[in-house]
Amino acid sequence: MRYRSISIRNSVKFILSVLLAVYVQEILASLIFPVNMVPQLLLGWIVFLSFYWPRPQAVFLAFLIGLVVDFMVAKLAGPGAVMAVLIYLLLSTVSSRLYLEALFVKIVCGYSSVFLFVGGYKLLLSIFQGEEFSFNWNLQYGFVLTALLMPLIISILKKTLRPANSLI
Amino acid sequence: MSLEAESRRTTLITASVLILLGLLLSAYSSHHPQLVKFGNFVVTGFERPVLGVLSYSFGGVSDVYDNYFSLLDVKKENTELQKKIGILAEQNSALQALKKENEQLAILLEFRKQRSLSGIAGNVIGYSGTALSRSVIVDRGWDADIEVGQAVVAGNALIGQVIAVGSGNSTVLLIDDAASGVDVFSEDGRFRGVVKGRGHGLMELAYVPAGTTLTIGEQLFTSGLDGNFPKGLLLGYIKNITTTDKQQMFVSAEVEAALNLNNLEIVYLINNKK
């Protein structure tokens, strides 16, 4: 169930958690996982926003998260933000028809979101930067890992950012 | 309009504006990369010092992953290389065998040209089992016009004579067999004698008149007087002089075969009739 309102405190918490995710993401990418196995953790935050966060603020936050991804990748500022907003719109639209507590739903949404995000990001890069569009359509370890981590990320975020008046 | 619908409309408008903004940013940053560099510095700058410290502790883990995946490739490559080595080793040994065979045939051919001896080449396909019976089986028989008594050479040296002929094979009595005896003369023609077999590649030179001086290493050739062997075939060398007593009628010496009779492969069966 979508939160009706969110406190400033929780908003700050959310932004801090995004920074923490950036931090963890960098550590995973730089020090632990091989390149093709790094999960896209920030997609978990976008999925969480789509499912639970109040709408007007959520779209802003999704945009900011996308922008953070852009700056992490350091190629262009914008494609990630655009894709984050589009994925938010898509997931928030279908979320009312899904049983969000089901593990399977979270995993499928996670995989779909990372698939669309990476595909769309590369497409926009090819448009604005003139790079040749190349996308691996096969099952990728990084995508699968992202999808499998999705329930855990959402669960942690729900516990951390639960509104005071929420029954969730 | 309900609150929910209003919220959705606001979200949609906001999202559209943000998407447009994102596209504009993309277009702008494609021409002004300093914007992205600055953003990257802001987002990741705070974590770099900590990452530097952590890299010491986690670097090993990353290396383990990298090395593990590299090792998987190396293992696969190693298996393929092992297979290739096996195939190449097999081919190499086949080529070595061919080379050896070619060398032996070249020697035989040269021998045949020099001596103008007719005959046929054959492969040794078996040995007699004991040292007492020194014979080999050759893959040429009566169908190749082989007859009992034909001299057999390998390389340029005599190794024996045919004692039995079958269909497709024949038995060759080697010169070191106890039943073998070959009339020989020395390389300078000073003396004649008979070489008798003693097994293990050794023979005895006998019936050399007393008073003849034998020299170790002297070559012995067939005399042709026994009627079985053509004249002038190398047989062996004097290895050791065993009887030097001048009171006896004959002197004798130990003779070593010119070839290793235990390692024969290709032989040449001389046609004595021609």
Side-chain angles (χ1 to χ4, degrees):
Chain A
M1 180 184 282
R2 193 177 295 279
Y3 301 159
R4 286 185 184 281
S5 63
I6 213 80
S7 63
I8 294 173
R9 189 181 164 190
N10 272 348
S11 297
V12 173
K13 271 188 188 177
F14 184 88
I15 291 166
L16 287 175
S17 71
V18 169
L19 292 176
L20 183 68
V22 171
Y23 199 82
V24 174
Q25 177 90 38
E26 284 281 298
I27 289 173
L28 291 180
S30 311
L31 306 173
I32 297 177
F33 284 98
V35 178
N36 63 337
M37 285 182 72
V38 177
Q40 304 296 319
L41 295 180
L42 285 172
L43 264 297
W45 271 250
I46 294 173
V47 175
F48 175 78
L49 287 174
S50 312
F51 286 176
Y52 301 107
W53 211 259
R55 276 207 176 87
Q57 298 97 320
V59 71
F60 269 114
L61 289 172
F63 181 82
L64 288 177
I65 290 170
L67 210 54
V68 166
V69 174
D70 283 329
F71 289 142
M72 282 171 70
V73 178
K75 282 189 174 178
L76 276 183
V82 171
M83 286 316 299
V85 172
L86 283 174
I87 286 167
Y88 168 82
L89 282 178
L90 180 73
L91 290 180
S92 64
T93 305
V94 298
S95 65
S96 59
R97 298 174 188 276
L98 296 172
Y99 178 60
L100 300 180
E101 303 312 310
L103 194 69
F104 179 73
V105 170
K106 290 171 187 168
I107 290 174
V108 170
C109 286
Y111 191 85
S112 311
S113 61
V114 70
F115 188 86
L116 288 173
F117 186 89
V118 174
Y121 185 91
K122 289 194 172 183
L123 183 66
L124 287 173
L125 266 188
S126 70
I127 292 169
F128 286 103
Q129 220 172 23
E131 282 184 10
E132 191 182 347
F133 178 68
S134 66
F135 183 70
N136 183 4
W137 297 96
N138 298 326
L139 201 66
Q140 295 182 42
Y141 295 127
F143 291 7
V144 174
L145 207 55
T146 308
L148 292 175
L149 285 172
M150 202 56 71
L152 180 70
I153 294 170
I154 290 172
S155 168
I156 291 170
L157 288 175
K158 273 173 72 180
K159 282 182 183 171
T160 313
L161 305 172
R162 185 168 49 195
N165 57 353
S166 173
L167 295 175
I168 301 168
Chain B
M1 192 182 286
S2 71
L3 197 64
E4 180 68 16
E6 178 65 25
S7 168
R8 280 185 186 174
R9 201 171 71 93
T10 311
T11 304
L12 204 59
I13 292 168
T14 311
S16 306
V17 171
L18 288 174
I19 287 170
L20 193 63
L21 181 64
L23 293 173
L24 286 172
L25 265 175
S26 301
Y28 180 78
S29 61
S30 65
H31 293 96
H32 300 87
Q34 60 270 26
L35 173 68
V36 183
K37 283 180 186 171
F38 177 72
N40 181 259
F41 175 76
V42 171
V43 171
T44 61
F46 71 97
E47 68 196 26
R48 293 284 156 81
V50 186
L51 271 177
V53 175
L54 284 175
S55 64
Y56 284 107
S57 20
F58 284 95
V61 181
S62 181
D63 288 346
V64 167
Y65 270 104
D66 291 345
N67 291 337
Y68 174 70
F69 285 111
S70 299
L71 273 177
L72 284 180
D73 290 341
V74 167
K75 192 178 175 184
K76 192 177 173 186
E77 193 180 346
N78 189 35
T79 311
E80 287 172 4
L81 286 174
Q82 291 281 3
K83 282 181 189 170
K84 281 183 184 173
I85 286 172
I87 293 166
L88 287 174
E90 203 173 307
Q91 288 176 347
N92 187 43
S93 51
L95 286 172
Q96 291 286 348
L98 279 174
K99 186 188 171 193
K100 195 175 175 184
E101 188 178 340
N102 187 40
E103 285 170 357
Q104 289 177 353
L105 285 170
I107 292 168
L108 282 177
L109 191 64
E110 187 64 24
F111 172 80
R112 186 178 167 181
K113 278 182 186 172
Q114 283 179 355
R115 303 300 304 270
S116 302
L117 292 171
S118 63
I120 188 167
N123 291 304
V124 174
I125 57 173
Y127 273 82
S128 67
T130 65
L132 293 174
S133 170
R134 297 283 293 160
S135 59
V136 292
I137 301 163
V138 181
D139 64 344
R140 299 287 184 187
W142 55 260
D143 46 344
D145 292 332
I146 303 299
E147 292 177 0
V148 172
Q150 276 188 232
V152 182
V153 295
N156 56 354
L158 180 75
I159 63 154
Q161 64 177 314
V162 177
I163 56 167
V165 182
S167 171
N169 63 74
S170 53
T171 305
V172 176
L173 185 75
L174 296 176
I175 51 175
D176 64 341
D177 187 278
S180 171
V182 184
D183 197 281
V184 296
F185 65 87
S186 63
E187 60 183 293
D188 56 3
R190 286 182 294 108
F191 62 87
R192 274 185 53 213
V194 175
V195 173
K196 298 188 290 185
R198 282 170 48 195
H200 299 290
L202 291 176
M203 293 157 285
E204 183 187 6
L205 173 65
Y207 309 119
V208 177
T212 308
T213 306
L214 303 178
T215 313
I216 293 175
E218 195 169 5
Q219 291 182 327
L220 300 173
F221 294 88
T222 54
S223 66
L225 296 173
D226 50 17
N228 288 330
F229 305 107
K231 187 180 176 183
L233 296 175
L234 176 65
L235 188 140
Y237 312 89
I238 293 178
K239 188 183 179 187
N240 194 17
I241 299 160
T242 52
T243 308
T244 53
D245 190 355
K246 292 181 179 177
Q247 300 300 319
Q248 293 189 12
M249 286 179 69
F250 302 104
V251 291
S252 61
E254 197 176 315
V255 177
E256 185 176 13
L259 285 175
N260 180 5
L261 299 175
N262 295 317
N263 190 27
L264 298 170
E265 289 180 1
I266 297 174
V267 295
Y268 189 69
L269 297 96
I270 298 169
N271 190 342
N272 297 349
K273 292 178 183 174
K274 294 175 186 174

